[in-house]
Amino acid sequence: MAILVTGTPGVGKTTVSLELARKTGKNYVDIAEIVKREKFYKGYDDATDSLIVDTAKLKKYLRNLLTCNEVIDTHVVEAVPQEKVTHVFVLRLDPVQLMKRLEQRGYRASKIRLNVEAEILDSILIDSVKLFGTEKVFEINTTGKDVSEIVQIIYSILQGNGEEFKPGNVNWLQKYYFLLEQQ
Ligand code: ADP
Ligand code: MG
């Protein structure tokens, strides 16, 4: 089975995917690298400082490439052929931590803001559920967890213990509701 690891840039997709691939013996598929190598982009988006991915071309390419033995690392969920994937793991990270990580990465302020807002508003989770359906999607709050702990959780979900990780278990708006109450 192919496994998709997704989430807002900076949540830890690459770190977790590499470790998961190593432990399971699956092939690691870095979508960002494929997009650059195969030139699957339509231009450059200044607001997000990133390539505009040609999702149709990328999806077609992935349909041929994937053999159902991969760990796929991407935030571009719409480019992943749904039928090849059995599990979608949406990694979540407290927006305050995410902001710090993206600052460390040297992203500019506007790019940090767009990504932190996307994390708060569950953007990738919502897209994942729309595309793959609730049965395949699991969200994992990685805040304060090291890579091995996260991989352990993924293992446990793959064995069928996914109930507490169904969509809706992470809620940043609720966590930060007290900020509204202080007004
Ligand atoms: P993504 O691929 O989602 O953009 P990365 O895997 O590149 O994220 O991780 C972003 C940064 O966060 C890296 O500096 C990485 O070392 C760090 N990181 C990733 N996972 C964890 C974790 N579980 N705990 C602490 N730091 C982490
Ligand atoms: Mg990455």
mmCIF file of all heavy atoms in Angstrom, residues 101-145:
data_model
loop_
_atom_site.group_PDB
_atom_site.id
_atom_site.type_symbol
_atom_site.label_atom_id
_atom_site.label_comp_id
_atom_site.label_asym_id
_atom_site.label_seq_id
_atom_site.Cartn_x
_atom_site.Cartn_y
_atom_site.Cartn_z
ATOM 1 N N ARG A 101 9.212 27.560 13.558
ATOM 2 C CA ARG A 101 9.971 26.726 12.611
ATOM 3 C C ARG A 101 10.150 27.418 11.268
ATOM 4 O O ARG A 101 11.211 27.348 10.660
ATOM 5 C CB ARG A 101 9.256 25.400 12.372
ATOM 6 C CG ARG A 101 9.572 24.394 13.430
ATOM 7 C CD ARG A 101 9.273 23.004 12.923
ATOM 8 N NE ARG A 101 9.061 22.128 14.058
ATOM 9 C CZ ARG A 101 8.499 20.950 13.987
ATOM 10 N NH1 ARG A 101 8.083 20.500 12.808
ATOM 11 N NH2 ARG A 101 8.346 20.210 15.047
ATOM 12 N N LEU A 102 9.085 28.073 10.812
ATOM 13 C CA LEU A 102 9.173 28.722 9.491
ATOM 14 C C LEU A 102 10.072 29.959 9.553
ATOM 15 O O LEU A 102 10.746 30.281 8.570
ATOM 16 C CB LEU A 102 7.778 29.056 8.968
ATOM 17 C CG LEU A 102 6.875 27.836 8.702
ATOM 18 C CD1 LEU A 102 5.497 28.267 8.218
ATOM 19 C CD2 LEU A 102 7.504 26.878 7.690
ATOM 20 N N GLU A 103 10.105 30.621 10.711
ATOM 21 C CA GLU A 103 11.037 31.750 10.899
ATOM 22 C C GLU A 103 12.471 31.231 10.815
ATOM 23 O O GLU A 103 13.319 31.823 10.147
ATOM 24 C CB GLU A 103 10.793 32.432 12.250
ATOM 25 C CG GLU A 103 9.631 33.419 12.209
ATOM 26 C CD GLU A 103 9.184 33.887 13.586
ATOM 27 O OE1 GLU A 103 9.772 33.455 14.604
ATOM 28 O OE2 GLU A 103 8.210 34.665 13.628
ATOM 29 N N GLN A 104 12.703 30.076 11.497
ATOM 30 C CA GLN A 104 14.055 29.472 11.468
ATOM 31 C C GLN A 104 14.457 29.079 10.049
ATOM 32 O O GLN A 104 15.634 29.095 9.702
ATOM 33 C CB GLN A 104 14.089 28.230 12.350
ATOM 34 C CG GLN A 104 14.343 28.565 13.809
ATOM 35 C CD GLN A 104 14.203 27.352 14.723
ATOM 36 O OE1 GLN A 104 13.988 26.240 14.258
ATOM 37 N NE2 GLN A 104 14.308 27.594 16.011
ATOM 38 N N ARG A 105 13.463 28.706 9.251
ATOM 39 C CA ARG A 105 13.724 28.309 7.873
ATOM 40 C C ARG A 105 14.035 29.514 6.984
ATOM 41 O O ARG A 105 14.400 29.350 5.826
ATOM 42 C CB ARG A 105 12.487 27.633 7.307
ATOM 43 C CG ARG A 105 12.706 26.247 6.860
ATOM 44 C CD ARG A 105 11.461 25.692 6.219
ATOM 45 N NE ARG A 105 11.479 24.257 6.339
ATOM 46 C CZ ARG A 105 10.593 23.455 5.779
ATOM 47 N NH1 ARG A 105 9.589 23.966 5.093
ATOM 48 N NH2 ARG A 105 10.675 22.171 5.915
ATOM 49 N N GLY A 106 13.795 30.694 7.517
ATOM 50 C CA GLY A 106 14.091 31.913 6.766
ATOM 51 C C GLY A 106 13.004 32.334 5.791
ATOM 52 O O GLY A 106 13.251 33.139 4.892
ATOM 53 N N TYR A 107 11.787 31.788 5.947
ATOM 54 C CA TYR A 107 10.675 32.211 5.086
ATOM 55 C C TYR A 107 10.364 33.681 5.339
ATOM 56 O O TYR A 107 10.496 34.169 6.453
ATOM 57 C CB TYR A 107 9.420 31.404 5.411
ATOM 58 C CG TYR A 107 9.346 30.017 4.808
ATOM 59 C CD1 TYR A 107 10.478 29.375 4.304
ATOM 60 C CD2 TYR A 107 8.132 29.345 4.767
ATOM 61 C CE1 TYR A 107 10.391 28.099 3.771
ATOM 62 C CE2 TYR A 107 8.035 28.061 4.230
ATOM 63 C CZ TYR A 107 9.164 27.450 3.736
ATOM 64 O OH TYR A 107 9.073 26.195 3.214
ATOM 65 N N ARG A 108 9.895 34.378 4.289
ATOM 66 C CA ARG A 108 9.526 35.764 4.557
ATOM 67 C C ARG A 108 8.172 35.839 5.253
ATOM 68 O O ARG A 108 7.387 34.891 5.225
ATOM 69 C CB ARG A 108 9.586 36.655 3.339
ATOM 70 C CG ARG A 108 9.141 36.196 2.056
ATOM 71 C CD ARG A 108 9.405 37.289 1.006
ATOM 72 N NE ARG A 108 8.930 36.832 -0.267
ATOM 73 C CZ ARG A 108 7.712 37.121 -0.723
ATOM 74 N NH1 ARG A 108 6.885 37.878 -0.027
ATOM 75 N NH2 ARG A 108 7.333 36.643 -1.888
ATOM 76 N N ALA A 109 7.922 37.027 5.873
ATOM 77 C CA ALA A 109 6.763 37.182 6.772
ATOM 78 C C ALA A 109 5.450 36.793 6.096
ATOM 79 O O ALA A 109 4.618 36.099 6.700
ATOM 80 C CB ALA A 109 6.703 38.607 7.277
ATOM 81 N N SER A 110 5.261 37.204 4.837
ATOM 82 C CA SER A 110 3.980 36.923 4.164
ATOM 83 C C SER A 110 3.778 35.418 3.954
ATOM 84 O O SER A 110 2.666 34.902 4.069
ATOM 85 C CB SER A 110 3.918 37.654 2.830
ATOM 86 O OG SER A 110 4.983 37.245 2.008
ATOM 87 N N LYS A 111 4.862 34.728 3.676
ATOM 88 C CA LYS A 111 4.789 33.277 3.454
ATOM 89 C C LYS A 111 4.522 32.547 4.777
ATOM 90 O O LYS A 111 3.751 31.580 4.822
ATOM 91 C CB LYS A 111 6.094 32.789 2.820
ATOM 92 C CG LYS A 111 6.059 31.334 2.427
ATOM 93 C CD LYS A 111 7.279 30.915 1.629
ATOM 94 C CE LYS A 111 7.141 29.469 1.176
ATOM 95 N NZ LYS A 111 8.211 29.030 0.310
ATOM 96 N N ILE A 112 5.148 33.029 5.836
ATOM 97 C CA ILE A 112 4.909 32.441 7.163
ATOM 98 C C ILE A 112 3.438 32.600 7.513
ATOM 99 O O ILE A 112 2.762 31.659 7.923
ATOM 100 C CB ILE A 112 5.796 33.112 8.239
ATOM 101 C CG1 ILE A 112 7.272 32.792 7.980
ATOM 102 C CG2 ILE A 112 5.376 32.669 9.646
ATOM 103 C CD1 ILE A 112 8.247 33.487 8.888
ATOM 104 N N ARG A 113 2.929 33.806 7.288
ATOM 105 C CA ARG A 113 1.546 34.089 7.659
ATOM 106 C C ARG A 113 0.551 33.198 6.902
ATOM 107 O O ARG A 113 -0.366 32.622 7.495
ATOM 108 C CB ARG A 113 1.237 35.566 7.398
ATOM 109 C CG ARG A 113 -0.107 35.925 7.943
ATOM 110 C CD ARG A 113 -0.397 37.392 7.842
ATOM 111 N NE ARG A 113 -1.787 37.553 8.186
ATOM 112 C CZ ARG A 113 -2.257 38.549 8.896
ATOM 113 N NH1 ARG A 113 -1.454 39.480 9.341
ATOM 114 N NH2 ARG A 113 -3.538 38.614 9.169
ATOM 115 N N LEU A 114 0.741 33.069 5.600
ATOM 116 C CA LEU A 114 -0.157 32.216 4.798
ATOM 117 C C LEU A 114 -0.155 30.772 5.301
ATOM 118 O O LEU A 114 -1.202 30.139 5.406
ATOM 119 C CB LEU A 114 0.255 32.249 3.323
ATOM 120 C CG LEU A 114 -0.183 33.479 2.538
ATOM 121 C CD1 LEU A 114 0.521 33.528 1.188
ATOM 122 C CD2 LEU A 114 -1.698 33.491 2.345
ATOM 123 N N ASN A 115 1.034 30.281 5.617
ATOM 124 C CA ASN A 115 1.122 28.890 6.073
ATOM 125 C C ASN A 115 0.547 28.709 7.469
ATOM 126 O O ASN A 115 -0.141 27.714 7.728
ATOM 127 C CB ASN A 115 2.569 28.404 6.009
ATOM 128 C CG ASN A 115 2.979 28.059 4.578
ATOM 129 O OD1 ASN A 115 2.282 27.323 3.896
ATOM 130 N ND2 ASN A 115 4.075 28.620 4.119
ATOM 131 N N VAL A 116 0.810 29.655 8.363
ATOM 132 C CA VAL A 116 0.270 29.550 9.731
ATOM 133 C C VAL A 116 -1.259 29.643 9.698
ATOM 134 O O VAL A 116 -1.960 28.877 10.373
ATOM 135 C CB VAL A 116 0.894 30.624 10.663
ATOM 136 C CG1 VAL A 116 0.172 30.688 12.002
ATOM 137 C CG2 VAL A 116 2.375 30.328 10.880
ATOM 138 N N GLU A 117 -1.783 30.517 8.860
ATOM 139 C CA GLU A 117 -3.248 30.625 8.712
ATOM 140 C C GLU A 117 -3.833 29.332 8.162
ATOM 141 O O GLU A 117 -4.880 28.859 8.626
ATOM 142 C CB GLU A 117 -3.606 31.792 7.777
ATOM 143 C CG GLU A 117 -3.440 33.132 8.448
ATOM 144 C CD GLU A 117 -3.746 34.319 7.525
ATOM 145 O OE1 GLU A 117 -4.083 34.100 6.347
ATOM 146 O OE2 GLU A 117 -3.624 35.455 8.000
ATOM 147 N N ALA A 118 -3.152 28.741 7.194
ATOM 148 C CA ALA A 118 -3.634 27.475 6.614
ATOM 149 C C ALA A 118 -3.672 26.384 7.684
ATOM 150 O O ALA A 118 -4.609 25.577 7.734
ATOM 151 C CB ALA A 118 -2.735 27.059 5.455
ATOM 152 N N GLU A 119 -2.655 26.372 8.553
ATOM 153 C CA GLU A 119 -2.627 25.373 9.635
ATOM 154 C C GLU A 119 -3.780 25.605 10.609
ATOM 155 O O GLU A 119 -4.492 24.669 10.987
ATOM 156 C CB GLU A 119 -1.264 25.418 10.350
ATOM 157 C CG GLU A 119 -1.111 24.447 11.513
ATOM 158 C CD GLU A 119 -1.276 22.975 11.120
ATOM 159 O OE1 GLU A 119 -1.061 22.640 9.943
ATOM 160 O OE2 GLU A 119 -1.644 22.172 12.003
ATOM 161 N N ILE A 120 -4.002 26.851 11.002
ATOM 162 C CA ILE A 120 -5.094 27.168 11.943
ATOM 163 C C ILE A 120 -6.440 26.737 11.366
ATOM 164 O O ILE A 120 -7.293 26.200 12.071
ATOM 165 C CB ILE A 120 -5.114 28.684 12.260
ATOM 166 C CG1 ILE A 120 -3.860 29.080 13.065
ATOM 167 C CG2 ILE A 120 -6.381 29.066 13.043
ATOM 168 C CD1 ILE A 120 -3.681 30.581 13.237
ATOM 169 N N LEU A 121 -6.612 26.952 10.062
ATOM 170 C CA LEU A 121 -7.919 26.707 9.429
ATOM 171 C C LEU A 121 -8.075 25.289 8.861
ATOM 172 O O LEU A 121 -9.035 25.018 8.142
ATOM 173 C CB LEU A 121 -8.148 27.735 8.321
ATOM 174 C CG LEU A 121 -8.293 29.178 8.833
ATOM 175 C CD1 LEU A 121 -8.364 30.159 7.678
ATOM 176 C CD2 LEU A 121 -9.521 29.318 9.725
ATOM 177 N N ASP A 122 -7.162 24.383 9.216
ATOM 178 C CA ASP A 122 -7.277 22.969 8.791
ATOM 179 C C ASP A 122 -7.291 22.790 7.266
ATOM 180 O O ASP A 122 -7.878 21.816 6.764
ATOM 181 C CB ASP A 122 -8.569 22.316 9.334
ATOM 182 C CG ASP A 122 -8.742 22.429 10.831
ATOM 183 O OD1 ASP A 122 -7.721 22.393 11.545
ATOM 184 O OD2 ASP A 122 -9.893 22.528 11.294
ATOM 185 N N SER A 123 -6.652 23.686 6.523
ATOM 186 C CA SER A 123 -6.773 23.661 5.056
ATOM 187 C C SER A 123 -6.438 22.302 4.433
ATOM 188 O O SER A 123 -7.213 21.778 3.636
ATOM 189 C CB SER A 123 -5.872 24.710 4.427
ATOM 190 O OG SER A 123 -6.272 25.974 4.880
ATOM 191 N N ILE A 124 -5.296 21.747 4.811
ATOM 192 C CA ILE A 124 -4.876 20.497 4.159
ATOM 193 C C ILE A 124 -5.715 19.320 4.645
ATOM 194 O O ILE A 124 -6.031 18.416 3.883
ATOM 195 C CB ILE A 124 -3.360 20.286 4.340
ATOM 196 C CG1 ILE A 124 -2.667 21.362 3.491
ATOM 197 C CG2 ILE A 124 -2.934 18.866 3.943
ATOM 198 C CD1 ILE A 124 -1.211 21.221 3.284
ATOM 199 N N LEU A 125 -6.137 19.382 5.899
ATOM 200 C CA LEU A 125 -7.031 18.329 6.402
ATOM 201 C C LEU A 125 -8.325 18.318 5.590
ATOM 202 O O LEU A 125 -8.788 17.259 5.139
ATOM 203 C CB LEU A 125 -7.357 18.547 7.882
ATOM 204 C CG LEU A 125 -8.351 17.510 8.397
ATOM 205 C CD1 LEU A 125 -7.669 16.192 8.682
ATOM 206 C CD2 LEU A 125 -9.117 18.003 9.594
ATOM 207 N N ILE A 126 -8.902 19.497 5.390
ATOM 208 C CA ILE A 126 -10.175 19.605 4.660
ATOM 209 C C ILE A 126 -10.010 19.104 3.223
ATOM 210 O O ILE A 126 -10.819 18.309 2.738
ATOM 211 C CB ILE A 126 -10.698 21.064 4.703
ATOM 212 C CG1 ILE A 126 -11.090 21.428 6.141
ATOM 213 C CG2 ILE A 126 -11.880 21.257 3.753
ATOM 214 C CD1 ILE A 126 -11.308 22.910 6.380
ATOM 215 N N ASP A 127 -8.953 19.540 2.562
ATOM 216 C CA ASP A 127 -8.699 19.072 1.184
ATOM 217 C C ASP A 127 -8.518 17.551 1.156
ATOM 218 O O ASP A 127 -9.012 16.885 0.249
ATOM 219 C CB ASP A 127 -7.444 19.740 0.604
ATOM 220 C CG ASP A 127 -7.680 21.210 0.289
ATOM 221 O OD1 ASP A 127 -8.852 21.638 0.279
ATOM 222 O OD2 ASP A 127 -6.691 21.928 0.054
ATOM 223 N N SER A 128 -7.810 17.017 2.140
ATOM 224 C CA SER A 128 -7.559 15.567 2.180
ATOM 225 C C SER A 128 -8.863 14.798 2.336
ATOM 226 O O SER A 128 -9.087 13.798 1.650
ATOM 227 C CB SER A 128 -6.624 15.213 3.345
ATOM 228 O OG SER A 128 -5.390 15.836 3.164
ATOM 229 N N VAL A 129 -9.723 15.258 3.226
ATOM 230 C CA VAL A 129 -11.005 14.566 3.448
ATOM 231 C C VAL A 129 -11.864 14.651 2.186
ATOM 232 O O VAL A 129 -12.479 13.667 1.780
ATOM 233 C CB VAL A 129 -11.736 15.143 4.679
ATOM 234 C CG1 VAL A 129 -13.165 14.627 4.758
ATOM 235 C CG2 VAL A 129 -10.978 14.787 5.956
ATOM 236 N N LYS A 130 -11.865 15.827 1.557
ATOM 237 C CA LYS A 130 -12.649 16.000 0.319
ATOM 238 C C LYS A 130 -12.177 15.026 -0.756
ATOM 239 O O LYS A 130 -12.970 14.437 -1.476
ATOM 240 C CB LYS A 130 -12.471 17.423 -0.223
ATOM 241 C CG LYS A 130 -13.473 18.412 0.344
ATOM 242 C CD LYS A 130 -13.393 19.694 -0.487
ATOM 243 C CE LYS A 130 -13.837 20.877 0.334
ATOM 244 N NZ LYS A 130 -13.254 22.131 -0.150
ATOM 245 N N LEU A 131 -10.865 14.877 -0.896
ATOM 246 C CA LEU A 131 -10.310 14.066 -1.977
ATOM 247 C C LEU A 131 -10.291 12.568 -1.667
ATOM 248 O O LEU A 131 -10.519 11.748 -2.545
ATOM 249 C CB LEU A 131 -8.885 14.525 -2.292
ATOM 250 C CG LEU A 131 -8.765 15.903 -2.937
ATOM 251 C CD1 LEU A 131 -7.367 16.476 -2.724
ATOM 252 C CD2 LEU A 131 -9.045 15.802 -4.428
ATOM 253 N N PHE A 132 -9.981 12.225 -0.411
ATOM 254 C CA PHE A 132 -9.745 10.810 -0.085
ATOM 255 C C PHE A 132 -10.873 10.190 0.741
ATOM 256 O O PHE A 132 -10.949 8.977 0.867
ATOM 257 C CB PHE A 132 -8.413 10.653 0.661
ATOM 258 C CG PHE A 132 -7.221 10.957 -0.183
ATOM 259 C CD1 PHE A 132 -6.721 12.250 -0.272
ATOM 260 C CD2 PHE A 132 -6.585 9.960 -0.915
ATOM 261 C CE1 PHE A 132 -5.626 12.549 -1.068
ATOM 262 C CE2 PHE A 132 -5.493 10.240 -1.702
ATOM 263 C CZ PHE A 132 -5.011 11.537 -1.790
ATOM 264 N N GLY A 133 -11.715 11.041 1.326
ATOM 265 C CA GLY A 133 -12.803 10.515 2.165
ATOM 266 C C GLY A 133 -12.351 10.307 3.601
ATOM 267 O O GLY A 133 -11.167 10.051 3.844
ATOM 268 N N THR A 134 -13.257 10.386 4.562
ATOM 269 C CA THR A 134 -12.884 10.328 5.993
ATOM 270 C C THR A 134 -12.242 8.993 6.376
ATOM 271 O O THR A 134 -11.408 8.956 7.281
ATOM 272 C CB THR A 134 -14.106 10.541 6.915
ATOM 273 O OG1 THR A 134 -15.194 9.785 6.398
ATOM 274 C CG2 THR A 134 -14.484 11.984 7.036
ATOM 275 N N GLU A 135 -12.615 7.912 5.702
ATOM 276 C CA GLU A 135 -12.092 6.584 6.097
ATOM 277 C C GLU A 135 -10.572 6.501 6.002
ATOM 278 O O GLU A 135 -9.928 5.865 6.836
ATOM 279 C CB GLU A 135 -12.714 5.490 5.219
ATOM 280 C CG GLU A 135 -14.172 5.208 5.526
ATOM 281 C CD GLU A 135 -14.405 4.905 7.006
ATOM 282 O OE1 GLU A 135 -13.719 4.003 7.530
ATOM 283 O OE2 GLU A 135 -15.249 5.582 7.629
ATOM 284 N N LYS A 136 -10.005 7.133 4.978
ATOM 285 C CA LYS A 136 -8.554 6.998 4.751
ATOM 286 C C LYS A 136 -7.719 8.026 5.524
ATOM 287 O O LYS A 136 -6.499 7.902 5.592
ATOM 288 C CB LYS A 136 -8.247 7.176 3.251
ATOM 289 C CG LYS A 136 -8.620 5.990 2.393
ATOM 290 C CD LYS A 136 -8.119 6.219 0.964
ATOM 291 C CE LYS A 136 -8.547 5.076 0.055
ATOM 292 N NZ LYS A 136 -8.108 5.314 -1.344
ATOM 293 N N VAL A 137 -8.393 9.069 6.037
ATOM 294 C CA VAL A 137 -7.625 10.201 6.578
ATOM 295 C C VAL A 137 -7.504 10.142 8.107
ATOM 296 O O VAL A 137 -8.482 9.888 8.819
ATOM 297 C CB VAL A 137 -8.267 11.547 6.147
ATOM 298 C CG1 VAL A 137 -7.501 12.730 6.724
ATOM 299 C CG2 VAL A 137 -8.343 11.647 4.621
ATOM 300 N N PHE A 138 -6.276 10.416 8.587
ATOM 301 C CA PHE A 138 -5.989 10.472 10.016
ATOM 302 C C PHE A 138 -5.179 11.728 10.274
ATOM 303 O O PHE A 138 -4.312 12.070 9.474
ATOM 304 C CB PHE A 138 -5.183 9.238 10.438
ATOM 305 C CG PHE A 138 -5.915 7.951 10.168
ATOM 306 C CD1 PHE A 138 -5.798 7.335 8.925
ATOM 307 C CD2 PHE A 138 -6.760 7.395 11.113
ATOM 308 C CE1 PHE A 138 -6.506 6.171 8.642
ATOM 309 C CE2 PHE A 138 -7.470 6.233 10.844
ATOM 310 C CZ PHE A 138 -7.347 5.614 9.601
ATOM 311 N N GLU A 139 -5.482 12.422 11.370
ATOM 312 C CA GLU A 139 -4.646 13.591 11.689
ATOM 313 C C GLU A 139 -3.947 13.368 13.018
ATOM 314 O O GLU A 139 -4.551 12.905 13.977
ATOM 315 C CB GLU A 139 -5.429 14.910 11.639
ATOM 316 C CG GLU A 139 -6.631 15.010 12.514
ATOM 317 C CD GLU A 139 -7.197 16.426 12.537
ATOM 318 O OE1 GLU A 139 -6.488 17.392 12.191
ATOM 319 O OE2 GLU A 139 -8.366 16.568 12.958
ATOM 320 N N ILE A 140 -2.666 13.711 13.013
ATOM 321 C CA ILE A 140 -1.818 13.456 14.182
ATOM 322 C C ILE A 140 -1.246 14.774 14.682
ATOM 323 O O ILE A 140 -0.557 15.479 13.945
ATOM 324 C CB ILE A 140 -0.651 12.505 13.816
ATOM 325 C CG1 ILE A 140 -1.209 11.175 13.277
ATOM 326 C CG2 ILE A 140 0.249 12.273 15.020
ATOM 327 C CD1 ILE A 140 -0.139 10.272 12.665
ATOM 328 N N ASN A 141 -1.550 15.084 15.943
ATOM 329 C CA ASN A 141 -0.959 16.278 16.556
ATOM 330 C C ASN A 141 0.475 15.937 16.950
ATOM 331 O O ASN A 141 0.701 15.177 17.882
ATOM 332 C CB ASN A 141 -1.784 16.692 17.772
ATOM 333 C CG ASN A 141 -1.240 17.952 18.409
ATOM 334 O OD1 ASN A 141 -0.240 18.521 17.945
ATOM 335 N ND2 ASN A 141 -1.877 18.409 19.460
ATOM 336 N N THR A 142 1.444 16.488 16.219
ATOM 337 C CA THR A 142 2.859 16.155 16.441
ATOM 338 C C THR A 142 3.521 17.061 17.475
ATOM 339 O O THR A 142 4.688 16.870 17.807
ATOM 340 C CB THR A 142 3.665 16.272 15.125
ATOM 341 O OG1 THR A 142 3.724 17.657 14.749
ATOM 342 C CG2 THR A 142 3.044 15.458 14.009
ATOM 343 N N THR A 143 2.777 18.041 17.968
ATOM 344 C CA THR A 143 3.362 19.039 18.882
ATOM 345 C C THR A 143 3.974 18.350 20.111
ATOM 346 O O THR A 143 3.287 17.590 20.795
ATOM 347 C CB THR A 143 2.279 20.038 19.345
ATOM 348 O OG1 THR A 143 1.526 20.468 18.209
ATOM 349 C CG2 THR A 143 2.902 21.237 20.048
ATOM 350 N N GLY A 144 5.275 18.586 20.326
ATOM 351 C CA GLY A 144 5.960 18.024 21.494
ATOM 352 C C GLY A 144 6.327 16.553 21.340
ATOM 353 O O GLY A 144 6.820 15.940 22.288
ATOM 354 N N LYS A 145 6.097 15.992 20.164
ATOM 355 C CA LYS A 145 6.446 14.578 19.961
ATOM 356 C C LYS A 145 7.695 14.478 19.080
ATOM 357 O O LYS A 145 7.835 15.240 18.121
ATOM 358 C CB LYS A 145 5.301 13.832 19.260
ATOM 359 C CG LYS A 145 4.028 13.761 20.080
ATOM 360 C CD LYS A 145 3.018 12.842 19.409
ATOM 361 C CE LYS A 145 1.739 12.728 20.209
ATOM 362 N NZ LYS A 145 0.824 13.882 20.000
#
